[in-house]
């Protein structure tokens, strides 16, 4: 009997799924343990992440265009001496944070500084308490390139500002996720595992993120265009989780693979969506932060996410105006 391509894909992925054990709850102070059966058993542990800025400031050189057309032509600093931490307080109080403020208040600029795609004029960034000096070196290379070799065990903060492309029906959702996974930087991990074992590890980690985010087996085995709008956002967020975490996995002396939990930066991602779609995505993001990840969402519609977020920070003229914690 001939099977359709979609059925063949499902049968292909079901086999390894049967041999994976998953634990999906973690406290930030503990480790998220799971194991997968490969030719030689691979143990993995998910490590909680944190990020903070210390007196970070950003300004742009004025020009004739900004003077004539900028929404804030008279403001000297886009971000002004912001010191905020994410992922350090107890009970997940600062792991899911909303950034609000009027247009040009500094929300998107602050996210770009957190993602290390811009040089600030002063201040520092800390990933898992490892310091990254980001002061402007006036070099042509981007911050991401100049710091690439220094980031080995820390998650890579990822900006998400749009819904993923879901019109390619040739691959399943899981195949699309795995196709975008970067290779680990750790030489030890690359040398330790065969290609088959590394692919098994990628699939294991991807399915854990799917489970934590609420994508069920039948959903990630279907094509992205078969998913609902909220599930399509979750598909994109799982891709971002893999990009943030997998590249910087490491291994300890006991051959346990350490995977940093992701840091996701949402730049008005859900502002044009309905409350129902946004709230479903918000609940999935809350589960990710309970696992040990960090979510920072800049938005003009905070009512979409306040039910899930634990803190709201208001920015005004590039400065922190107010901080509010939610029950």
């Amino acid at each position: 009997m001939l099977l359709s391509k979609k059925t063949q894909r499902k049968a292909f992925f079901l086999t390894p799924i049967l041999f994976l054990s998953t634990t999906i709850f973690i406290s930030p102070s503990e480790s998220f343990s799971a194991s997968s059966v490969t030719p030689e058993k691979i143990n993995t542990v998910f490590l909680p992440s944190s990020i903070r800025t210390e007196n970070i400031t950003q300004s742009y050189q004025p020009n004739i265009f900004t003077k004539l057309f900028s929404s804030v032509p008279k403001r000297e600093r886009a971000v002004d001496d912001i010191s905020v931490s994410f992922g350090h307080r107890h009970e997940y109080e600062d792991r899911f944070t909303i950034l609000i403020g009027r247009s040009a208040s500094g929300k998107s600029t602050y996210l770009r500084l957190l993602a290390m795609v811009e040089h600030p004029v002063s201040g520092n960034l800390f990933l898992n308490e490892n310091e990254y000096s980001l002061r402007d070196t006036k070099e042509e290379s981007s911050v991401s390139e100049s710091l690439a070799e220094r980031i080995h065990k820390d998650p890579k903060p990822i900006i998400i500002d749009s819904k993923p492309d879901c019109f390619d029906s040739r691959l399943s959702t899981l195949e699309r996720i795995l196709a975008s996974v970067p290779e680990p930087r750790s030489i030890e991990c690359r040398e330790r595992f065969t290609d088959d074992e590394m692919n098994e590890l990628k699939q294991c980690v991807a399915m854990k993120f799917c489970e934590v985010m609420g994508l069920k087996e039948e959903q990630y085995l279907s094509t992205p265009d078969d998913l609902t709008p909220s599930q399509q956002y979750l598909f994109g967020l799982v891709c971002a989780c893999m990009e943030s975490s997998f590249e910087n996995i490491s291994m300890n002396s006991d051959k346990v693979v350490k995977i940093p939990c992701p840091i996701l930066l949402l730049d008005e991602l859900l502002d044009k969506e309905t409350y129902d779609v946004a709230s479903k995505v918000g609940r999935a993001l809350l589960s990710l932060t309970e696992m040990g990840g960090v979510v920072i969402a800049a938005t003009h519609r905070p009512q979409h996410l306040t039910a899930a977020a634990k803190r709201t920070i208001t920015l005004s003229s590039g400065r922190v105006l107010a901080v509010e914690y939610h029950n």
Side-chain angles (χ1 to χ4, degrees):
M1 181 178 66
L2 295 176
L3 301 176
S4 67
K5 290 183 178 180
K6 186 171 181 180
T7 305
Q8 290 175 15
R9 286 199 300 269
K10 186 169 184 179
F12 173 80
F13 280 107
L14 276 175
T15 302
I17 291 172
L18 297 177
F19 296 96
L20 294 172
S21 62
T22 304
T23 306
I24 62 172
F25 175 78
I26 180 173
S27 166
S29 61
E30 299 173 352
S31 297
F32 176 65
S33 300
S35 63
S36 63
V37 176
T38 60
E40 186 173 348
K41 192 172 182 179
I42 301 174
N43 294 319
T44 62
V45 58
F46 282 72
L47 303 178
S49 297
S50 65
I51 184 170
R52 67 183 176 94
T53 57
E54 185 178 272
N55 307 116
I56 204 162
T57 298
Q58 178 67 306
S59 63
Y60 301 108
Q61 192 69 26
N63 54 48
I64 188 64
F65 179 83
T66 57
K67 289 181 179 179
L68 292 176
F69 301 106
S70 174
S71 59
V72 284
K74 297 180 180 180
R75 199 171 93 208
E76 179 181 354
R77 296 176 175 179
V79 169
D80 191 358
D81 194 34
I82 293 183
S83 297
V84 180
S85 63
F86 306 87
H88 291 82
R89 295 174 65 92
H90 297 294
E91 301 297 331
Y92 322 112
E93 287 180 344
D94 60 355
R95 289 193 168 274
F96 192 165
T97 300
I98 298 174
L99 298 181
I100 63 172
R102 303 175 71 175
S103 295
S105 62
K107 301 186 301 298
S108 295
T109 302
Y110 187 58
L111 292 186
R112 290 194 296 272
L113 293 172
L114 290 173
M116 294 184 285
V117 296
E118 282 195 18
H119 299 261
V121 295
S122 64
N124 291 309
L125 175 77
F126 297 82
L127 283 172
N128 294 343
E129 291 308 306
N130 295 317
E131 181 178 356
Y132 295 86
S133 180
L134 302 177
R135 289 175 185 154
D136 193 353
T137 60
K138 306 299 182 183
E139 296 177 353
E140 293 182 0
S141 61
S142 70
V143 175
S144 295
E145 292 171 348
S146 65
L147 294 179
E149 295 302 319
R150 295 180 53 201
I151 304 175
H152 297 292
K153 300 179 181 179
D154 300 325
K156 177 182 178 182
I158 301 295
I159 294 179
I160 312 106
D161 58 7
S162 61
K163 196 174 183 179
D165 174 18
C166 298
F167 296 105
D168 186 353
S169 59
R170 293 173 296 177
L171 299 176
S172 71
T173 299
L174 184 58
E175 288 172 318
R176 285 278 301 275
I177 294 170
L178 295 174
S180 63
V181 178
E183 293 299 316
R185 294 187 188 278
S186 169
I187 296 176
E188 183 179 9
C189 285
R190 294 199 303 267
E191 293 178 345
R192 165 68 175 77
F193 299 120
T194 66
D195 289 344
D196 288 341
E197 288 175 331
M198 184 61 70
N199 290 333
E200 189 84 14
L201 177 61
K202 288 180 182 179
Q203 182 172 319
C204 173
V205 175
M207 288 191 295
K208 293 185 197 309
F209 281 134
C210 285
E211 187 167 3
V212 170
M213 299 293 283
L215 277 179
K216 298 180 180 179
E217 181 181 310
E218 62 269 21
Q219 295 163 353
Y220 61 69
L221 293 180
S222 65
T223 57
D225 56 353
D226 288 332
L227 301 176
T228 66
S230 60
Q231 291 165 359
Q232 290 176 350
Y233 276 107
L234 298 182
F235 153 57
L237 291 170
V238 171
C239 290
C241 287
M242 294 296 290
E243 184 180 356
S244 176
S245 297
F246 199 84
E247 189 175 20
N248 296 317
I249 65 174
S250 60
M251 184 183 296
N252 64 15
S253 58
D254 296 325
K255 306 299 183 182
V256 176
V257 178
K258 296 181 178 181
I259 306 169
C261 287
I263 297 177
L264 304 186
L265 313 174
L266 281 53
D267 193 0
E268 302 179 14
L269 177 66
L270 301 167
D271 280 19
K272 296 182 179 179
E273 284 298 337
T274 64
Y275 176 82
D276 182 60
V277 170
S279 60
K280 289 179 180 178
V281 176
R283 289 193 293 271
L285 291 170
L286 177 59
S287 297
L288 183 67
T289 61
E290 291 173 346
M291 174 189 182
V294 172
V295 176
I296 308 169
T299 180
H300 290 285
R301 304 183 72 180
Q303 65 274 16
H304 280 8
L305 294 172
T306 48
K310 299 299 183 180
R311 178 175 63 172
T312 297
I313 295 177
T314 304
L315 298 183
S316 178
S317 299
R319 297 181 178 181
V320 174
L321 182 64
V323 179
E324 178 185 2
Y325 290 91
H326 310 298
N327 294 326

